[in-house]
């Protein structure tokens, strides 16, 4: 089986390609990228001018909720949402029920992913057994079963000592430790960013320093161990400052920012719907100076990755008082339009940088296949339509959960098609592609 993606702007930062090219897919592999490739029996897919052909997008921070919370999401519904959002691969967080702290759970997730047969799924294992913050999980076992990183996400790693040991062990297997950076004493019972809007709504606050303390601790442990420390869902300007300084000092630190943190601020707590629990996430939506710092970090290269922190919750769980609602929103199906609208069309970054943030760098940081259209690479391809009009229709989301603050938004820039292993797993009828 041969498919020739004809025309379109191919952007593949890993191979220094940015221009109008053809992409030849043979079976499940990329065979060639070049100008005016011969058809030679391949089925031809004409790519409209202006469309982008990119290595498949990879989301390194997703909660698939299976096993144990299948009323929120399953591997099947989560990967359906992923491919509709342009992601050919996702890495899933271990705070399931039971948690992914052993090979049985890892294998279960991988079996479910094979059954769904949509996006690739890379499980992330726990730092500690039972995520209890006491004993290290069996990291060698997790690695052998297929985990690509470790984290106690949902919570920070309990102690500096445990984080140190986690970094030391993970490095032996070439894996990063991903950290939910938070000082829990400072967070207390907080539910929203500490500032004007939380105060005026009578909500308990979480200051940015709460996150930055976790980042600073991690940076010190990364320096001490020489291992790779990755900051999850960064939101505060003090955190960005710490990462920037660490990078300048040559410490192995990387970080990700979620679309809601470069799009919204804490003003959304009060409007358009006051106390909308779809504006409750952890870390919280922060003030303008923090949001602008995230944009600056995305522009100047300090931020490595855009990751969604896709956190599905059932309507009944979110439809309660703000204080009682769980933290988090779904993000897989809104990430690309938000990134186009707020980053590319707003002039913050160019298209090449967008692909770096959403494909090249995620693959590099987790050391997984993908992030490249190099010859012989897996044929994971995302076709993007920068000018496509996108209406976020909550009822049409593939995710089993609908908890998003972006319902009804009109955005410009979308996904035309998603190809995994040479197979079109998502084709947007709006994209008018003959896949
Ligand atoms: Zn987290």
């Amino acid at each position: 089986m041969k498919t020739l993606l004809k025309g379109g702007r191919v952007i593949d930062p890993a191979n220094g390609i940015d221009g109008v090219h053809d992409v030849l897919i043979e079976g499940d592999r990329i065979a060639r990228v070049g100008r005016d490739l011969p058809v030679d029996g391949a089925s031809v897919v004409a790519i409209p001018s202006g469309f982008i052909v990119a290595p498949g997008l990879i989301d390194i921070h997703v909660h698939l909720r299976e096993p144990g919370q299948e009323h929120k999401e399953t591997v099947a519904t989560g990967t359906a949402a992923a491919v509709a959002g342009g992601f050919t691969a996702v890495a899933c967080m271990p705070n399931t029920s039971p948690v992914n702290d052993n090979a049985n759970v890892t294998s279960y997730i991988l079996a479910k992913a094979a059954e769904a047969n949509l996006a690739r799924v890379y499980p992330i294992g726990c730092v500690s057994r039972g995520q209890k913050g006491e004993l290290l999980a069996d990291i060698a076992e997790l690695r052998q079963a297929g985990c690509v990183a470790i984290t106690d996400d949902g919570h920070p790693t309990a102690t500096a000592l445990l984080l140190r040991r986690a970094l030391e062990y993970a490095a032996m297997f070439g894996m990063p430790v991903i950290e939910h950076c938070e000082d829990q004493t400072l967070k207390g019972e907080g539910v929203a960013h500490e500032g004007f809007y939380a105060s005026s709504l009578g909500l308990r606050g979480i200051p940015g320093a709460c996150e930055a303390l976790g980042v600073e601790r991690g940076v010190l442990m990364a320096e001490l161990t020489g291992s790779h420390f990755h900051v999850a869902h960064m939101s505060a300007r003090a955190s960005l400052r710490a990462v920037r300084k660490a990078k300048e000092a040559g410490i192995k630190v990387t970080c990700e920012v979620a679309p809601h943190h470069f799009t919204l601020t804490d003003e959304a707590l009060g409007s358009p719907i006051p106390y909308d629990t779809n504006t409750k996430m952890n870390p919280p939506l922060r003030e303008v100076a923090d949001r602008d710092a995230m944009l600056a970090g995305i522009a100047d290269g300090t931020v490595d990755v855009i990751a969604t922190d896709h956190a599905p919750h059932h309507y009944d769980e979110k439809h309660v008082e703000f204080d009682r609602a769980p933290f988090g929103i779904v993000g897989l199906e809104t990430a690309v339009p938000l990134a186009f609208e707020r980053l590319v069309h707003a002039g913050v970054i160019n298209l090449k940088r967008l692909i770096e943030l959403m494909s090249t760098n995620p693959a590099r940081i987790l050391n997984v296949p993908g992030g490249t259209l190099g010859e012989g690479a897996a044929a994971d391809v995302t076709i993007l339509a920068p000018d496509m009009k996108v209406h976020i229709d909550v009822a049409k989301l593939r995710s089993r959960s609908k908890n998003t603050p972006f319902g009804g938004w009109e955005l410009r820039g979308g996904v035309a098609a998603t190809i995994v292993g040479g197979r079109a797993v998502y084709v947007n009828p709006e994209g008018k592609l003959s896949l």
Side-chain angles (χ1 to χ4, degrees), residues 188-255:
E189 299 294 305
V191 295
H193 175 64
E194 183 173 298
F196 173 81
Y197 293 99
S199 301
S200 60
L201 293 164
L203 297 171
R204 284 164 293 193
I206 307 170
C210 172
E211 176 184 278
L213 276 169
V215 175
E216 300 271 17
R217 180 184 79 160
V219 165
L220 289 167
M221 293 305 111
E223 185 177 26
L224 181 64
T225 59
S227 306
H228 179 184
F229 178 74
H230 179 79
V231 179
H233 44 53
M234 191 171 72
S235 66
R237 59 191 190 272
S239 304
L240 182 83
R241 196 169 63 215
V243 168
R244 191 178 277 143
K245 271 170 51 189
K247 285 186 167 190
E248 280 164 14
I251 300 167
K252 225 187 263 180
V253 176
T254 53
C255 67

Side-chain angles (χ1 to χ4, degrees), residues 61 153-154 180 233 282 309:
H61 195 136
D153 185 46
H180 169 113
H233 44 53
N282 189 22
D309 193 11

Side-chain angles (χ1 to χ4, degrees), residues 61 63 93 95 151-156 179-182 232-233 256 282-283 309:
H61 195 136
H63 297 270
M93 290 293 157
N95 58 340
T151 184
D152 269 352
D153 185 46
H155 300 283
E179 180 74 347
H180 169 113
C181 295
E182 181 178 271
H233 44 53
E256 72 196 28
N282 189 22
D309 193 11

Side-chain angles (χ1 to χ4, degrees), residues 338-359:
L338 289 170
F340 267 118
E341 181 90 25
R342 295 302 177 110
L343 301 179
V344 178
H345 298 316
V348 176
I349 58 171
N350 60 22
L351 286 162
K352 172 175 170 268
R353 176 87 179 119
L354 178 74
I355 304 307
E356 280 173 7
L357 287 159
M358 298 188 80
S359 178

